[in-house]
Amino acid sequence: MTQMTRDMLMAYADGQLTVAERAEVEAYLGSNPEAAADVALQQRQNDAIRTLFAPVGAEPVPDRLRVERLAAAHKRGQWRMVQQAAMIVAVLGIGIVVGWMLREGGDRPALHDQLIADAVSAHTVYVAENRHAVEVGGDDAAHLSTWLSNRLATTLAMPDLKVQGLSFLGGRLLPAPAIPGGRAAQLMYEDAAGKRLTLYITPSSGVGGPSYEEVDFGTDTALYWSNALITCTIVGEGSAATMEAIAAAVFSQLTPGTAAPIYRG
């Protein structure tokens, strides 16, 4: 029997295997209920994307997400030249994701940059939704915390941002195939004006890179930080100072007792 990998399971969920390969995967899933549950979740997400976001694939790329604007916004401390950028591609031929800048002389973006790009992509897709913005509502925060903690193999609190004027809407589990474990959590918040902010959280194992990064995407700001336990990318509208204040509140609740990231001036 072929060695079962996560890539093969995802290909099965996406309907990309041959008949023989599908039979092998189905035999494996029959004796591995946890893997079967993960695949079923991926298939439900695929179905939801097909149902909800079909019109998105036909829409023009928003001006704020064009390659030229992203390239202008991406300013590194070392001011390295941007060689090229990956932009909007289809998710299952329908949805959209945001690409990321490739470094001079590199074949692919750094892993922490990929996480930032994935966070912006998930934010762009889900903040536009009403009924399906989250998978588990904020009124079931205890269950959401337990579920996501188990999936990410870390203790994950649901930060309370009422002092910052943000109400907790809930969250969801997302695939993150670029990192060990292949899972990320998205938590969503909303202010009194209806503007939404998201947290994109993964385990930090194997990620590397800087402990802090901030990128301006036009009206949105992505603020990334990491420590020995997790990475977290906060995406939303607001100034750098506003996002850093929110980040301080998030950090103290997600990883209490650990040193906060040092923001670069």
Side-chain angles (χ1 to χ4, degrees):
M1 181 177 180
T2 304
Q3 181 179 2
M4 201 57 56
T5 65
R6 182 167 181 81
D7 286 344
M8 194 164 184
L9 293 177
M10 293 184 70
Y12 173 82
D14 293 340
Q16 297 176 348
L17 299 182
T18 65
V19 173
E21 289 171 333
R22 287 184 61 85
E24 284 194 62
V25 173
E26 287 167 357
Y28 172 80
L29 295 178
S31 57
N32 291 271
E34 183 174 353
D38 285 346
V39 169
L41 173 62
Q42 181 66 39
Q43 289 173 323
R44 290 196 299 273
Q45 290 176 335
N46 291 350
D47 291 341
I49 289 172
R50 292 188 182 96
T51 301
L52 298 174
F53 305 123
V56 176
E59 293 178 359
V61 177
D63 183 63
R64 68 188 181 88
L65 294 180
R66 292 189 179 279
V67 171
E68 297 83 1
R69 183 177 292 273
L70 291 174
H74 188 69
K75 295 179 180 179
R76 290 291 192 183
Q78 297 180 357
W79 299 93
R80 288 180 290 183
M81 294 295 292
V82 175
Q83 187 177 48
Q84 70 179 77
M87 262 308 297
I88 305 297
V89 298
V91 174
L92 303 176
I94 299 170
I96 59 171
V97 295
V98 179
W100 194 248
M101 317 309 174
L102 299 182
R103 299 297 193 278
E104 182 177 5
D107 294 328
R108 57 186 302 175
L111 187 50
H112 76 279
D113 277 345
Q114 181 62 54
L115 294 181
I116 296 172
D118 290 345
V120 173
S121 173
H123 176 88
T124 301
V125 169
Y126 289 112
V127 296
E129 292 304 310
N130 292 319
R131 294 180 60 188
H132 301 279
V134 297
E135 190 171 1
V136 178
D139 55 352
D140 202 2
H143 164 67
L144 185 61
S145 176
T146 300
W147 176 49
L148 294 178
S149 294
N150 289 338
R151 292 304 187 189
L152 270 62
T154 188
T155 301
L156 190 61
M158 304 291 105
D160 186 341
L161 301 179
K162 290 188 179 69
V163 173
Q164 287 71 36
L166 296 166
S167 299
F168 183 45
L169 297 183
R172 66 174 65 246
L173 182 69
L174 293 172
I179 64 171
R183 298 180 179 93
Q186 184 192 62
L187 308 181
M188 188 178 296
Y189 296 80
E190 186 175 74
D191 67 13
K195 293 181 180 179
R196 292 175 172 178
L197 175 142
T198 59
L199 313 180
Y200 183 90
I201 304 165
T202 77
S204 62
S205 176
V207 176
S211 61
Y212 174 78
E213 185 70 29
E214 188 175 294
V215 184
D216 180 15
F217 289 95
T219 59
D220 285 336
T221 296
L223 191 156
Y224 165 92
W225 55 257
S226 67
N227 61 17
L229 300 176
I230 63 172
T231 80
C232 179
T233 303
I234 305 174
V235 186
E237 296 184 36
S239 66
T242 297
M243 296 295 283
E244 288 175 5
I246 293 172
V250 169
F251 186 93
S252 66
Q253 295 180 67
L254 284 181
T255 56
T258 60
I262 299 174
Y263 299 142
R264 294 204 301 261

